[in-house]
Amino acid sequence: MSSPTPSSGGPRSDVGRWGGNPWQPPTTPSPEPEPEPDRRSRRGGRSFWARCCGCCSCRNAEDDDWGPERRGDRGGRGSGSRSRRPDSRGSDSRRPGSRGSAVNAAGDGTIREGMLVVTGMDLLSSRSDQNRREHHTDEFEYDELILRRGQPFHMVLFLSRPYESSDHVTLELCIGNNPEVGKGTHVIIPVGKGGSGGWKAQVTKSSGQNLNLRVHTSPNAIIGKFQFTVRTRCKAGEFQLPFDPRNEIYILFNPWCPEDIVYVDHEDWRQEYVLNESGRIYYGTEAQIGERTWNYGQFDHGVLDACLYILDRRGMPYGGRRDPVSVSRVISAMVNSLDDNGVLIGNWSGDYSRGTNPSAWVGSVEILLSYLRTGNSVPFGQCWVFAGVTTTVLRCLGLATRTVTNFNSAHDTDTSLTMDIYFDENMKPLEHLNHDSVWNFHVWNDCWMKRPDLPSGFDGWQVVDATPQETSSGIFCCGPCSVQSIKNGLVYMKYDTPFIFAEVNSDKVYWQRQDDGSFKIVYVEEKAIGSLIITKAIGSNMREDITHTYKHPEGSEAERKAVETAAAHGSKPNVYATRDSTEDVAMQVEAQDAVMGQDLTVCVVLTNRGSSPRTVKLHLYLSVTFYTGVTGSVFKESKKEVVLAPGASERVTMPVAYKEYRAQLVDQGAMLLNVSGHVKENGQVLAKQHTFRLRTPDLSLTLLGAAVVGQECEVQIVFKNPLPVTLTNVVFRLEGSGLQRPKILNVGDIGGNETVTLRQTFVPVRPGPRQLIASLDSPQLSQVHGVIQVDVAPAGGGGAFSDIRGSGRSRETIPMASRGGA
């Protein structure tokens, strides 16, 4: 991966995001910019596909289904330019069944006596029918047939006369504007004769004028929305059923099919990583892990169309849509807005006045439906939002996907595969050289698939990261990258292994400038990066530590070999040869439970492990920091000299009052403690960076009454302001798949230490255990969430589902009278 050059207004102008760009209080909004309209032309005319995915970069000159996005196509889905979009379904004389009336072989529409006319069909597509249940698609809030490839489905044809053995019936599926058999975009399935590539259809029952069929789809089928039609031929002539939009069929990847390369051989994995509509996303620091519930909502009405629109919007070749490697790589590029006007605009500046604070989102549904509805990138996202949306999209398309958090995640900008921190002769950081940064946490995705494009041994979990950090082949995308290649330091494996390896398993190297201007390694932290990698556990809301899947045990021979092997392929292959230090004084920073709005204390413990006394000159510097590692100026410091007897330990503390840090706070309420020291007797250099966060309160949600499909239910939300200052322009968000479409509640101001109580009604539309999620956001306080499980009973009449259609979200202003007292 490569890094663009910092420039004013360019991708690296976002102060809260990039290392080497110190934070200053913003005076004007500075969100991540949209790319210039002519950005692609400056790359020498190479297409997105030639740069992003080599296997998709070849096409015929006449195949215009997937060219670069036209400027006129950026409007909403209702714009007049819609017919030019790749997902357009306009009239095409070459498309079978596109005419408005039945046809015979002569094409004059005459129905002759004895012809086998198809008067209609039943795809058994309702959510309660056999097909949807067997294909595990019954939760989709759609009436159309939704299938998983490589698995048979049932259907019924209604005929003008009884079916005879001499009759010929052919099923046809088409996708794209120029369907061709050779590309797999036009599928022809002769009934009873066995098709090609795994497509086939057999008669299971012929009763009167009804013909029951069992249709097998290919485990290598293109995923997407197909038009479906039927042809018949007999002695009296040929008939073609006109295309009916009600007979469109969605085909998805199938982790239940052993022949599909996305197959997962664990039912509990499939339930969690494909079918679970909510999950936990972790943030904070390794010592202070925060967690929030995220509504993935992959089965909500409109979300599947939004996921396919993402592929259409970039113009992904339909032939490439059968390959999960290509699809996941495209999604990693399209979920962020850089290069391709994708789903989310990143913003790490701290100013979100022109959009939504990333901490305020509670799920993916509102974001994806907005993108589908308007065609415009949605402001704003940060890593956990990009990852949450990516999980939604990949699960919706049928890929087993989980959201992963890596604590102390490195951002290597010079491909050295080490995190390099530079200091002057007095161990003061040289910020103009410190372009590498260590994020307190970073969130990405694992998705499960085979890798036929790699040597054996690299199937299984693959990293996909949609957060725009560095470019890959000139595009802001990352992955898929085999977790096995990361674990073993095989940084030459595609895609983007060097960058991801450095995120989880590089060393933090401290360099001190010498008198002659050269730099010398004075300290190496071997366990500082990728210290903990976690995801939500299967079947529960507990955390699962998956660090062992990414790296060998810290300090083991295998782990050291992986790091040094990877570093040998980096830009500083001999970095470890210059290491020279004597260490007998150990330093540890103790994590304290710090609460937003209260005083706190930081503590450093020094231990003399040697046999002689040691004198340590210690410097403590405290500053605020974005979770990306970008820091503000130091607002408090302390200098002490400590004498340690052999084997002795001593605690050094620094109290910090609320009034000292109140005006300094930025996103996530995080602070960075820089500790440096010098041992007088032997010249040992001590260096440590410790990040901690200020804990924010939770929202308390209480269900008032039973929840039943189709019946109004009420929830109560209680919040107490932990700060002695007024929260202004407070906004609540409420969302839950099967419960509540995204809803925005404008509350106004909440006074210092005041408690507010809100009551909201919702109407469940699907039964079973559901998650109702809420968040609060204001300029003074963010990262406030709450969740409650709602067990929804089926409707009394036996109907499992209730209809849910309408706008993507609602907005409401809460009157002051609904507020609780302080």
Side-chain angles (χ1 to χ4, degrees), residues 317-380:
Y318 286 100
R321 301 188 193 194
R322 60 166 50 96
D323 176 21
V325 174
S326 299
V327 169
S328 60
R329 187 157 172 80
V330 170
I331 296 303
S332 80
M334 282 298 296
V335 167
N336 70 74
S337 66
L338 289 178
D339 306 302
D340 40 40
N341 301 306
V343 177
L344 271 166
I345 301 172
N347 184 348
W348 287 261
S349 71
D351 185 338
Y352 312 113
S353 57
R354 291 183 283 179
T356 298
N357 185 331
S359 296
W361 298 113
V362 294
S364 309
V365 176
E366 182 180 351
I367 295 167
L368 288 168
L369 294 187
S370 175
Y371 188 63
L372 175 68
R373 183 175 61 251
T374 68
N376 298 322
S377 301
V378 179
F380 293 108

Side-chain angles (χ1 to χ4, degrees), residues 110-394:
T110 302
I111 303 299
R112 298 189 179 90
E113 184 178 356
M115 286 179 61
L116 185 62
V117 177
V118 180
T119 60
M121 71 172 72
D122 184 357
L123 294 176
L124 306 176
S125 61
S126 75
R127 282 178 265 175
S128 59
D129 276 332
Q130 177 184 6
N131 286 332
R132 295 284 294 271
R133 286 185 284 106
E134 290 182 349
H135 284 252
H136 305 92
T137 60
D138 50 311
E139 289 287 341
F140 278 98
E141 294 172 356
Y142 281 75
D143 295 326
E144 293 86 351
L145 181 59
I146 303 175
L147 305 173
R148 299 190 187 276
R149 66 184 191 179
Q151 186 172 334
F153 68 95
H154 302 269
M155 61 175 292
V156 182
L157 295 179
F158 305 118
L159 308 175
S160 60
R161 61 170 176 79
Y163 174 74
E164 299 174 358
S165 59
S166 60
D167 294 327
H168 298 272
V169 178
T170 301
L171 312 179
E172 298 191 29
L173 295 94
C174 298
I175 190 170
N177 288 332
N178 300 293
E180 297 180 20
V181 173
K183 293 182 178 180
T185 53
H186 181 188
V187 180
I188 300 173
I189 313 171
V191 174
K193 294 187 177 180
S196 59
W199 298 93
K200 60 181 179 179
Q202 298 94 24
V203 175
T204 58
K205 182 180 179 181
S206 178
S207 176
Q209 294 174 250
N210 293 354
L211 186 66
N212 293 59
L213 302 178
R214 178 182 172 92
V215 184
H216 294 257
T217 59
S218 169
N220 193 38
I222 292 168
I223 65 162
K225 189 175 185 179
F226 286 79
Q227 294 184 349
F228 185 70
T229 187
V230 182
R231 289 180 183 269
T232 68
R233 181 167 54 86
C234 62
K235 293 180 179 179
E238 181 178 326
F239 170 86
Q240 178 183 327
L241 180 70
F243 167 69
D244 185 340
R246 293 174 297 179
N247 294 331
E248 288 184 314
I249 297 176
Y250 293 90
I251 297 181
L252 309 176
F253 293 117
N254 192 354
W256 281 266
C257 174
E259 288 75 38
D260 195 325
I261 65 173
V262 305
Y263 174 64
V264 177
D265 189 22
H266 304 281
E267 179 58 25
D268 56 344
W269 286 31
R270 295 189 290 249
Q271 292 293 324
E272 180 68 47
Y273 300 135
V274 182
L275 299 183
N276 197 344
E277 296 177 77
S278 64
R280 294 292 177 94
I281 297 180
Y282 303 98
Y283 62 95
T285 68
E286 179 186 2
Q288 296 172 298
I289 298 174
E291 60 184 57
R292 58 179 300 164
T293 302
W294 190 266
N295 181 45
Y296 296 125
Q298 67 266 34
F299 303 134
D300 276 29
H301 183 72
V303 170
L304 176 54
D305 289 312
C307 297
L308 296 177
Y309 171 56
I310 290 171
L311 303 180
D312 291 334
R313 177 64 178 265
R314 183 58 269 162
M316 183 179 187
Y318 286 100
R321 301 188 193 194
R322 60 166 50 96
D323 176 21
V325 174
S326 299
V327 169
S328 60
R329 187 157 172 80
V330 170
I331 296 303
S332 80
M334 282 298 296
V335 167
N336 70 74
S337 66
L338 289 178
D339 306 302
D340 40 40
N341 301 306
V343 177
L344 271 166
I345 301 172
N347 184 348
W348 287 261
S349 71
D351 185 338
Y352 312 113
S353 57
R354 291 183 283 179
T356 298
N357 185 331
S359 296
W361 298 113
V362 294
S364 309
V365 176
E366 182 180 351
I367 295 167
L368 288 168
L369 294 187
S370 175
Y371 188 63
L372 175 68
R373 183 175 61 251
T374 68
N376 298 322
S377 301
V378 179
F380 293 108
Q382 291 179 7
C383 69
W384 66 91
V385 188
F386 290 110
V389 172
T390 300
T391 296
T392 297
V393 174
L394 295 181

Side-chain angles (χ1 to χ4, degrees), residues 548-567:
H548 65 281
T549 67
Y550 275 84
K551 48 201 300 189
H552 297 285
E554 286 284 3
S556 68
E557 182 179 350
E559 187 264 347
R560 285 293 90 199
K561 180 179 179 181
V563 171
E564 296 184 16
T565 297

Side-chain angles (χ1 to χ4, degrees), residues 377-414:
S377 301
V378 179
F380 293 108
Q382 291 179 7
C383 69
W384 66 91
V385 188
F386 290 110
V389 172
T390 300
T391 296
T392 297
V393 174
L394 295 181
R395 285 188 184 181
C396 184
L397 297 178
L399 285 171
T401 306
R402 61 189 184 186
T403 308
V404 173
T405 300
N406 175 38
F407 289 98
N408 295 319
S409 185
H411 186 166
D412 181 20
T413 59
D414 63 359

